[in-house]
Amino acid sequence: MFRTVVFTTALALRAGDSLVADLYARATGSDADFKVITGLIVDVRQNLVEPHDSDFGFENSLVVDTERITVGGYGAFLEDYEVKHTTLRRA
């Protein structure tokens, strides 16, 4: 589940760790094929760990510095991209 990715990333960023994400993603609302996007995670928008920093109660997304995009889980509609699979690694 993407919420687990957001939770793990929020804790890592707060601990001062840098993470890179390999995202199997496509543009939100698109029927295009999924493709791998890789980038440094620069922020997280979430409501899972205090303090919350999302604009909506159900917003759980990553901000990835490829073109400064937002990504959400499969079926996302607030973010730029929806993600089917994510791999995190230390930068």
Side-chain angles (χ1 to χ4, degrees):
M1 287 188 50
F2 195 70
R3 289 171 42 129
T4 304
V5 171
V6 171
F7 177 78
T8 301
T9 302
L11 295 179
L13 293 179
R14 289 182 185 181
D17 294 333
S18 294
L19 295 177
V20 171
D22 296 317
L23 308 157
Y24 188 56
R26 69 177 175 194
T28 301
S30 167
D31 289 333
D33 292 336
F34 285 83
K35 64 179 183 173
V36 176
I37 299 172
T38 299
L40 180 69
I41 300 172
V42 294
D43 199 7
V44 62
R45 308 278 303 157
Q46 55 83 34
N47 66 353
L48 303 169
V49 180
E50 292 285 345
H52 301 164
D53 55 8
S54 64
D55 292 330
F56 301 94
F58 53 85
E59 180 184 19
N60 292 292
S61 58
L62 305 176
V63 180
V64 181
D65 193 11
T66 57
E67 307 163 6
R68 191 84 176 185
I69 61 170
T70 58
V71 295
Y74 188 69
F77 57 92
L78 294 173
E79 297 79 15
D80 300 319
Y81 287 84
E82 65 174 326
V83 176
K84 206 173 200 181
H85 177 71
T86 305
T87 302
L88 300 175
R89 55 190 160 86
R90 294 190 192 277

